[in-house]
Amino acid sequence: MAKVAFIGMGVMGYPMAGHLKVKGGHDVTVYNRTIAKAEAWAKQYDGKFAPTPAKAAEDADFVFTCVGNDDDLRSVTTGENGVFSSMKAGAVLIDNTTASAEVARELYAAAKEKGVEFIDAPVSGGQAGAENGVLTVMCGGHEAAFEKARPVIDAYARMVGLMGSAGAGQLTKMINQICIAGIVQGLAEGIHFGKQAGLDIEKVVDVISKGAAGSWQMENRHKTMNAGKYDFGFAVDWMRKDLGIVLEEARRNQAKLPLTALVDQFYGDVQAMGGNRWDTSSLLARLDRK
C-alpha cells in the first residue's frame, strides 16, 4: 500500500482515484477545485479529501493530477499551494492530463529541482475506460520513475507504456487523437453515404466490420450514430482542445496534418450547431443536417 494523492475529480479523475483506493488498496487523499466533489468521493470510497493540492500531496509517495489544460496543471503543481510546495523527496508526480509536450518538459525540469520525479501520462479510453479501470496510459519520463509508478498506475489501466523521455507521453496521445479524428470522420461519411443510398446500416456494418474497415469506433458507436444519439463519451469541446494542442505542436515540428486540421474545423461546425457536449461521433450530425 502506498500513500497517494489525486488532484482533479472530473469524469476521469473521480473513478481513477476510486480504482487506486479499491483495486490498488492505497491510502488515497483527493483534492478538487469544487470541494463538494472531493467530499462526495471521500464519502463514496471511504477516503480523505484536502483543502489544497499541497495539503493533499503532503507525505504522499505518488501524486496524480488530472485537470483541464496546461494552465490548470501549472496552477496545481507550481502555483500557490501547488503540490510541488509539499511533495517529499523521491515522490513521483504522475500527470494524467492531456496537455502539451511543452508543459510536460517544463514540469519535469521543475520536479527535478525539487528532488521529485515527474511522468507525463495522458490516457485514452474515455469515461467508460476510466470507470471500468481499462485505460491506455502513455508515459514520458525517466525509466526508473516509470518502473516505480507502473504498479500503482495499473490499478486503472489495461495498457501502460513508457514512450520515451519527458513529453513523449503527450506526443503519443497527440498521435492517438490524430488517428481517432480521421477514423471518426471516415465512419461518419460511410454511415451518411449508406443512409443516402437507402442501405440498411446495421447489415452494412455487420459485414464490413469483419474486414479491413473494422475499428473500435465502428463496433462501439455505429448504432448510436445511426440513431442520431450523441451522448456517449468524449465531448466535442474536449476533442477540440486536444486537436488544438496537436496542431500547435505540428506548427512547432513542421508536421503536415491536413486531415486533422480539416476535422478540427468540422468539429467547430458541430459546436456551432450546439453540439459542444455531444460526443465525438457527432461528426455525422454535421453531414445529416438538412
Side-chain angles (χ1 to χ4, degrees):
M1 183 182 75
K3 189 173 175 62
V4 172
F6 204 108
I7 313 302
M9 294 286 97
V11 296
M12 302 293 286
Y14 193 105
M16 290 162 71
H19 288 300
L20 288 165
K21 181 71 166 66
V22 176
K23 185 178 174 183
H26 302 297
D27 178 8
V28 182
T29 301
V30 304
Y31 164 82
N32 193 68
R33 189 164 45 190
T34 305
I35 198 70
K37 282 189 179 179
E39 290 176 329
W41 184 92
K43 183 177 180 181
Q44 180 177 346
Y45 290 102
D46 192 26
K48 294 170 284 188
F49 69 95
T52 65
K55 196 69 178 173
E58 279 182 0
D59 201 36
D61 304 302
F62 301 93
V63 177
F64 291 80
T65 50
C66 190
V67 294
N69 55 38
D70 286 18
D71 288 339
D72 293 333
L73 186 53
R74 290 185 180 102
S75 175
V76 300
T77 54
T78 60
E80 185 179 0
N81 290 315
V83 299
F84 280 160
S85 66
S86 65
M87 285 178 69
K88 65 183 182 181
V92 185
L93 172 60
I94 301 105
D95 176 42
N96 296 130
T97 309
T98 295
S100 69
E102 182 180 14
V103 76
R105 297 183 191 110
E106 174 187 316
L107 293 181
Y108 176 84
K112 198 170 183 179
E113 287 185 7
K114 294 284 185 179
V116 300
E117 299 281 359
F118 175 81
I119 299 170
D120 53 291
V123 301
S124 179
Q127 185 175 345
E131 290 171 351
N132 294 318
V134 291
L135 293 168
T136 295
V137 189
M138 300 150 265
C139 300
H142 194 266
E143 187 171 1
F146 170 76
E147 293 300 335
K148 185 177 178 181
R150 182 172 185 166
V152 184
I153 296 171
D154 278 342
Y156 58 77
R158 176 171 56 188
M159 173 64 190
V160 186
L162 180 63
M163 312 313 298
S165 59
Q170 295 295 351
L171 292 169
T172 303
K173 178 62 184 286
M174 293 177 209
I175 296 170
N176 187 80
Q177 302 307 76
I178 291 167
C179 294
I180 289 174
I183 289 168
V184 177
Q185 178 61 22
L187 179 58
E189 291 186 15
I191 292 174
H192 174 71
F193 180 90
K195 289 163 71 175
Q196 291 295 107
L199 296 176
D200 183 323
I201 298 301
E202 283 300 315
K203 288 182 178 179
V204 170
V205 171
D206 187 53
V207 172
I208 69 171
S209 64
K210 307 303 187 293
S215 67
W216 185 96
Q217 296 290 339
M218 181 179 288
E219 199 69 35
N220 291 275
R221 290 288 177 263
H222 79 273
K223 289 181 184 292
T224 52
M225 291 171 74
N226 193 36
K229 297 178 179 178
Y230 305 111
D231 189 26
F232 298 91
F234 198 65
V236 168
D237 279 351
W238 301 340
M239 187 60 157
R240 284 218 81 193
K241 183 211 85 170
D242 288 2
L243 293 181
I245 292 170
V246 168
L247 294 170
E248 178 61 31
E249 185 65 30
R251 283 188 283 272
R252 186 177 295 110
N253 70 17
Q254 299 186 321
K256 300 176 180 66
L257 304 178
L259 178 59
T260 304
L262 188 60
V263 175
D264 179 56
Q265 292 176 34
F266 292 163
Y267 278 124
D269 293 341
V270 174
Q271 288 175 317
M273 294 168 61
N276 302 65
R277 306 302 294 180
W278 293 349
D279 70 62
T280 52
S281 70
S282 58
L283 286 170
L284 178 59
R286 175 185 171 276
L287 299 173
D288 283 348
R289 63 184 172 179
K290 304 299 183 184

